[in-house]
Amino acid sequence: MATRIQFSRHGGPEVLEQVDVEPLAPAPGEVLVRNHAVGLNFIDTYFRDGLYTPPSLPSGLGTEGAGVIEAIGEGVSGWQPGDRVAYATGPLGAYAEYHNLPARHLVRLPEAIGFEQAAAVLLKGLTVQYLLRQTHRLEAGQTVLFHAAAGGVGSIACQWARALGARLIGVVGSAEKAERAQALGAWATIDSSREDVVQRVLELTEGRKCPVVYDSVGKNTWETSLDCVAPRGLLVSFGNASGAVTGVNLGILAQKGSLFVTRPTLASYADSPARLQGMADELFELIASGAIEVEIGQRFALAEAAEAQRRLAARQTTSSTVLLP
C-alpha cells in the first residue's frame, strides 16, 4: 500500500485527505514513478477549491515531482525502471508516493540535479525558459520589465536574465522583496507599494520603455503593463494572480504604439517530448553551473500537504516548497 493525498469535494485545505492505495500497474504508454519529492504550486489550490475543475472526484492533486521509474507500461520506449526522472505536467496525482503518468511528460534528470531541486524548480523553470527563450528570445543588453520579480517564477527569471546579460527591471511589492530581487540578479527594482511603475520605467529607460513586459498579475496590472511597453513591443500576459484580463479593446494596442500581446502557456511550448527535454536540459545546465540557485524554503512531509497549502495561501512561505513522501 502507498500514501496518496486526494479530495472528494471542493473547499479549503481541510478537504485534503490521506488515503492508502495499491499502486496500479502502468497502462499502455504510461510509467509508474516512485516519487522522492513533490512540488507545491499555487495552481494546486485552484483545483482543490474548484476554480479549476479536475476530471472527476475524488481526485489526486499536483502535477510536479521527481523520482525513479518503478515500472513501464506496454509501448513505452526509451525509459526503463531505475531511471531518474522529473515531471511538471500531466495528470493530477503527484501528491503521492507513486504516480502513474504518460511517459511523454517525463524529463531525464541528470545526476547533478537532486530530486528535491527538480521538484522545487521544474515547473517554474520551464515557465521561465519559454518566457525568456521562446516567447521572446531575450538578448544581452535588452531591458525588460518583470512583475512579481521576487516570487517563485520571478526569482528564477532574475537569475536567468542576469546569466543572459540582460537587464531585468523587477516589479515587487515591498522593500524586502526589492532587496531579494536585486540579490538574485535584477538590474533594477520598482516597489509598486510606494513608486509609480510607469514613471520609474520611463526614468530607468530614459523614456524608451521596454521592448517586452512580462505580467503574471493580470487584471490589476494590465493597463500599467501596456503603458510600459515600447512602440511595437510585446506584452506577455502569462498569469492572472489578481484575476483574468477580460473585455480587451484591441484599439488600445494601436493607441499605445502598435503593440503585440500574447497569452502563452507551458503546454503550447513543451508540446513534444523532444522539446520538453530540450527546455529542461537548458534549465538543468544553468543550475549545474551555478547560474541559477534553487532555493527551498520549506519541506513538509506528504501527510502535511494541507498545512503546506495553508501556509502557501497565507503567504507564510518563501522560495519553493516541497513535499517529501
Side-chain angles (χ1 to χ4, degrees), residues 254-272:
Q255 297 168 16
K256 294 184 181 295
S258 298
L259 306 183
F260 294 86
V261 175
T262 184
R263 181 60 171 88
T265 65
L266 174 59
S268 297
Y269 285 90
D271 59 354
S272 72

Side-chain angles (χ1 to χ4, degrees), residues 19-311:
V19 297
D20 291 328
V21 296
E22 186 72 33
L24 298 175
E30 286 189 341
V31 297
L32 174 64
V33 176
R34 182 175 183 271
N35 285 326
H36 285 231
V38 175
L40 179 75
N41 294 287
F42 213 89
I43 193 173
D44 302 341
T45 68
Y46 295 162
F47 284 101
R48 185 208 69 219
D49 65 20
L51 180 63
Y52 294 165
T53 304
S56 62
L57 293 176
S59 172
L61 199 58
T63 60
E64 182 178 36
V68 174
I69 293 179
E70 190 81 5
I72 61 173
E74 181 183 349
V76 173
S77 61
W79 300 102
Q80 60 185 5
D83 284 347
R84 302 175 79 251
V85 297
Y87 56 90
T89 61
L92 298 176
Y95 284 26
E97 290 185 90
Y98 291 89
H99 185 33
N100 290 77
L101 71 162
R104 66 179 181 273
H105 294 291
L106 296 180
V107 298
R108 204 169 296 278
L109 189 62
E111 291 291 340
I113 309 299
F115 294 118
E116 291 186 19
Q117 280 184 302
V121 78
L122 188 57
L123 181 60
K124 303 175 187 68
L126 291 176
T127 299
V128 175
Q129 198 282 339
Y130 81 72
L131 290 174
L132 302 190
R133 304 292 286 156
Q134 298 189 72
T135 303
H136 170 80
R137 195 165 183 84
L138 190 59
E139 299 177 355
Q142 286 187 323
T143 302
V144 298
L145 187 72
F146 206 103
H147 286 273
V153 172
S155 63
I156 298 171
C158 288
Q159 297 177 78
W160 206 318
R162 177 175 59 186
L164 293 172
R167 297 182 296 189
L168 183 146
I169 302 172
V171 181
V172 296
S174 68
E176 292 77 16
K177 290 182 177 180
E179 184 177 348
R180 170 174 165 74
Q182 288 182 315
L184 290 169
W187 173 69
T189 57
I190 302 172
D191 182 352
S192 61
S193 70
R194 60 182 184 85
E195 296 180 288
D196 184 295
V197 174
V198 177
Q199 185 59 39
R200 284 293 290 140
V201 166
L202 289 170
E203 293 170 0
L204 290 165
T205 63
E206 298 180 342
R208 291 187 296 272
K209 302 185 181 181
C210 297
V212 187
V213 172
Y214 297 96
D215 188 343
S216 62
V217 180
K219 180 180 178 180
N220 290 353
T221 53
W222 169 253
E223 290 285 350
T224 295
S225 291
L226 288 175
D227 286 336
C228 293
V229 182
R232 300 182 304 282
L234 172 67
L235 170 55
V236 183
S237 178
F238 69 99
N240 51 287
S242 66
V245 176
T246 59
V248 176
N249 175 6
L250 291 180
I252 292 176
L253 304 181
Q255 297 168 16
K256 294 184 181 295
S258 298
L259 306 183
F260 294 86
V261 175
T262 184
R263 181 60 171 88
T265 65
L266 174 59
S268 297
Y269 285 90
D271 59 354
S272 72
R275 187 167 289 127
L276 173 61
Q277 186 67 58
M279 293 167 65
D281 287 344
E282 187 174 3
L283 170 66
F284 293 151
E285 287 170 10
L286 287 168
I287 295 171
S289 71
I292 290 179
E293 180 181 355
V294 180
E295 295 182 326
I296 301 175
Q298 301 75 214
R299 294 171 173 83
F300 292 88
L302 180 61
E304 300 175 305
E307 178 61 22
Q309 288 199 355
R310 286 190 190 95
R311 296 195 192 180

Side-chain angles (χ1 to χ4, degrees), residues 309-324:
Q309 288 199 355
R310 286 190 190 95
R311 296 195 192 180
L312 178 68
R315 301 186 183 276
Q316 294 175 350
T317 62
T318 59
S319 306
S320 295
T321 300
V322 294
L323 306 175
L324 302 178

